[in-house]
């Protein structure tokens, strides 16, 4: 990160519990503007939970988490943090796009309607402008010809590309991807990764929880290996993948590479 440039995402000693089970055990991470960070690790290591904390779909219980210099979900008064009201949290979320493992498209709406829905409802933007922007995004994800198709008429890869366009239609400053290809048939994975690759090249800040090591190596600026709620190792993806420093990273990579 350049001198004086503030991180797009900063996590400082982030902890989270489910009852007595501590799922995040003091996460420290920084993501610079326009950086693509890939997070890998075994199931249950806390990757998806951490991602959901970034837009306050999950509350953190200790530490601090900020996006673009603003605390997420909390307001600071003196040395105490107070949880924001739902409406304020919803406003914060407008700047953060999220793409899930399952596409979560509205089945009764066309691809175009799915992409237009959030800016119309949450931002109240003029319908004509939203429509033009949505059509341009469908073209960007290679689905200009499927604007009037319903989710049931689309493949999994096409539905996921609509979901990416839908997130982008809110003009977010940060995109979060939670294993966006793991529910797809293998031959459809590439088309979704291609869209994400284009997004990275355009300078979007992205955090991607993924099992796609080739994507992490090629597109990622940084790679984070998490295990049991901790960051075990982080660095340049090519370095970490070819020369992991920790035994746990080596053991994990030997199973997936």
């Amino acid at each position: 990160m350049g001198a004086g440039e503030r991180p797009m995402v900063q996590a400082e000693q982030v902890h989270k519990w489910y009852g007595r089970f501590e799922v995040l055990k003091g996460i420290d991470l920084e993501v610079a503007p326009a950086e693509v960070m890939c997070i890998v690790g075994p199931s249950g290591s806390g990757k998806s939970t951490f991602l959901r904390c970034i837009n306050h779909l999950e509350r953190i219980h200790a530490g601090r988490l900020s996006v673009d210099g603003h605390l997420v979900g909390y307001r600071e008064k003196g040395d105490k943090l107070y949880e924001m009201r739902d409406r304020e949290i919803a406003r914060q979320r407008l700047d953060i796009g999220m793409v899930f493992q399952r596409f979560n498209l509205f089945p009764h709406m066309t691809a175009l309607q799915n992409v237009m829905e959030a800016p119309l409802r949450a931002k109240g933007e003029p319908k004509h402008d939203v429509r033009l922007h949505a059509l341009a995004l469908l073209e960007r994800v290679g689905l200009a010809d499927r604007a009037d198709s319903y989710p049931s008429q689309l493949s999994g890869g096409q539905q996921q590309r609509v979901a990416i366009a839908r997130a982008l239609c809110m003009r977010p400053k940060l995109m979060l991807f939670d294993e966006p290809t793991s529910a797809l048939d293998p031959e459809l994975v590439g088309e979704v990764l291609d869209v994400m690759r284009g997004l990275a090249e355009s300078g979007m800040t992205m955090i991607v929880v993924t099992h796609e090591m080739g994507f992490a190596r090629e597109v990622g600026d940084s790679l984070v290996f998490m295990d049991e709620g901790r960051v075990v190792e982080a660095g340049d993806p090519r370095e970490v993948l070819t020369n992991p420093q920790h035994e746990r990273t080596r053991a994990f990579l030997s199973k997936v590479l």
Side-chain angles (χ1 to χ4, degrees):
M1 228 165 0
E5 187 180 31
R6 73 176 174 199
M8 179 59 78
V9 179
Q10 185 164 31
E12 301 166 271
Q13 282 300 300
V14 168
H15 291 258
K16 176 163 183 68
W17 284 266
Y18 289 127
R20 288 187 176 172
F21 176 65
E22 190 175 13
V23 65
L24 297 176
K25 302 173 182 172
I27 302 289
D28 287 307
L29 280 181
E30 270 192 15
V31 184
E35 179 178 341
V36 178
M37 175 180 281
C38 293
I39 303 181
V40 301
S43 280
S45 56
K47 313 181 298 288
S48 294
T49 301
F50 175 64
L51 208 62
R52 292 167 70 86
C53 289
I54 294 172
N55 66 357
H56 208 66
L57 286 174
E58 299 274 2
R59 294 172 55 199
I60 68 172
H61 296 120
R64 302 161 66 87
L65 192 48
S66 55
V67 171
D68 201 18
H70 301 286
L71 281 176
V72 173
Y74 294 90
R75 178 181 291 105
E76 199 166 18
K77 270 194 183 163
D79 55 357
K80 280 204 172 142
L81 296 182
Y82 298 91
E83 193 163 18
M84 288 178 173
R85 294 192 180 91
D86 288 349
R87 183 185 292 178
E88 296 171 291
I89 292 167
R91 197 174 301 133
Q92 268 191 335
R93 266 194 210 120
L94 298 181
D95 289 332
I96 305 171
M98 185 145 185
V99 177
F100 298 89
Q101 195 171 347
R102 299 270 165 212
F103 330 120
N104 302 342
L105 298 177
F106 295 118
H108 62 288
M109 290 184 180
T110 64
L112 180 60
Q113 289 168 331
N114 265 287
V115 175
M116 290 175 64
E117 176 72 0
L120 287 177
R121 195 164 286 241
K123 286 187 164 179
E125 292 178 8
K127 189 168 185 178
H128 175 72
D129 298 356
V130 173
R131 182 184 165 83
L132 289 178
H133 187 212
L135 286 169
L137 287 170
L138 285 173
E139 186 167 344
R140 183 174 176 181
V141 300
L143 291 172
D145 57 335
R146 303 308 299 267
D148 297 326
S149 300
Y150 288 90
S152 61
Q153 299 167 312
L154 300 172
S155 71
Q158 289 171 329
Q159 289 187 60
Q160 192 61 294
R161 286 187 280 151
V162 172
I164 293 172
R166 175 180 60 182
L168 291 175
C169 206
M170 295 294 285
R171 305 180 198 274
K173 55 176 89 161
L174 169 67
M175 283 285 282
L176 308 175
F177 292 88
D178 190 7
E179 300 191 14
T181 58
S182 61
L184 298 178
D185 293 334
E187 73 272 16
L188 302 176
V189 168
E191 65 193 46
V192 173
L193 294 180
D194 283 345
V195 168
M196 292 168 63
R197 194 175 283 115
L199 209 53
E201 285 164 5
S202 75
M204 175 62 77
T205 312
M206 296 162 61
I207 304 179
V208 185
V209 170
T210 187
H211 297 295
E212 301 292 337
M213 299 299 162
F215 177 84
R217 180 189 282 115
E218 245 181 274
V219 183
D221 297 302
S222 55
L223 180 68
V224 171
F225 171 63
M226 280 180 68
D227 193 18
E228 295 183 350
R230 290 192 171 89
V231 171
V232 176
E233 188 162 345
D236 179 283
R238 289 148 292 277
E239 266 302 295
V240 176
L241 289 171
T242 50
N243 187 23
Q245 299 301 299
H246 291 261
E247 186 48 51
R248 278 148 80 191
T249 319
R250 280 196 287 274
F252 173 75
L253 292 176
S254 71
K255 294 190 186 93
V256 296
L257 287 178

